[in-house]
Amino acid sequence: IFRISFSGQGEPLLIPNIMEVFEALTKEHFISFNTNLTPGLINDFVRKIDPAKVVSVDASLHIKSLEKHKMTETFVRHYHLCKANGFNITASEVAYPDLAKDVSFFRSYFKERGVDFFFQRFFGEYEGRLYPDSYTTEEERIFGIIDQPSYLMYNSKGKKCNAGYNVGFVKNNGD
């Protein structure tokens, strides 16, 4: 019995046969996946997949993109649909430095809509500075990321990731 995670490299709910894959896998195994919660396939997902076979639904908030495409309420609706149907769902937003000025607004906005979310550290370059090392103490406080680790690829036991030993990656084309 395995836990199969669908994460990174795009939105899994846009893969044409993903529901058939989820149905087949959850007959014997467990799944988890990252999603932006905007595809309409969420409706089929909650109807067809046993929540006991889903370890987690990790909802990527992408606040600015949701606003731009007028999809924020779709995210909220799908978040509650998953919760109401017994799925273990968490929502998170990347703590991009340019979001710091609006964090209190975002927290209030989503709290009013019943969406619990947290910020996670940004790993990359922003305005010529490398993150997460460039966060100020004030930015860490604002985002609530003071106690988050500043490294990638570590497992819950504090050991370096052993990808390639017991973790594999499969691309959409089957490679």
Side-chain angles (χ1 to χ4, degrees), residues 57-72:
V57 176
D58 301 310
S60 300
L61 198 46
H62 303 300
I63 293 169
K64 293 293 187 180
S65 183
L66 288 171
E67 288 175 343
K68 177 181 175 184
H69 298 290
K70 297 178 177 23
M71 298 291 289
T72 306

Side-chain angles (χ1 to χ4, degrees), residues 113-134:
R113 285 155 182 78
V115 175
D116 295 319
F117 79 98
F118 63 94
F119 285 95
Q120 56 187 348
R121 289 181 181 275
F122 167 59
F123 289 82
E125 186 176 335
Y126 177 77
E127 293 186 346
R129 296 168 49 201
L130 291 177
Y131 285 82
D133 294 338
S134 293

Side-chain angles (χ1 to χ4, degrees), residues 45-121:
F45 170 75
V46 299
R47 199 174 67 254
K48 293 180 178 181
I49 305 300
D50 179 0
K53 294 297 213 158
V54 179
V55 176
S56 65
V57 176
D58 301 310
S60 300
L61 198 46
H62 303 300
I63 293 169
K64 293 293 187 180
S65 183
L66 288 171
E67 288 175 343
K68 177 181 175 184
H69 298 290
K70 297 178 177 23
M71 298 291 289
T72 306
E73 291 309 315
T74 299
F75 180 97
V76 170
R77 186 173 61 255
H78 288 166
Y79 175 90
H80 287 295
L81 182 63
C82 288
K83 259 192 125 150
N85 282 278
F87 291 93
N88 176 27
I89 184 167
T90 58
S92 65
E93 171 64 279
V94 175
Y96 291 114
D98 67 334
L99 295 179
K101 65 188 177 312
D102 297 318
V103 167
S104 61
F105 169 77
F106 295 140
R107 287 191 195 284
S108 174
Y109 180 89
F110 285 100
K111 183 177 184 175
E112 288 172 8
R113 285 155 182 78
V115 175
D116 295 319
F117 79 98
F118 63 94
F119 285 95
Q120 56 187 348
R121 289 181 181 275

Side-chain angles (χ1 to χ4, degrees), residues 17-64:
N17 66 339
I18 196 66
M19 200 53 55
E20 291 84 3
V21 171
F22 284 176
E23 287 177 297
L25 287 174
T26 57
K27 286 179 183 171
E28 294 185 33
H29 305 288
F30 296 86
I31 64 169
S32 64
F33 65 99
N34 292 36
T35 176
N36 63 23
L37 283 183
T38 59
L41 199 56
I42 289 287
N43 296 304
D44 289 342
F45 170 75
V46 299
R47 199 174 67 254
K48 293 180 178 181
I49 305 300
D50 179 0
K53 294 297 213 158
V54 179
V55 176
S56 65
V57 176
D58 301 310
S60 300
L61 198 46
H62 303 300
I63 293 169
K64 293 293 187 180

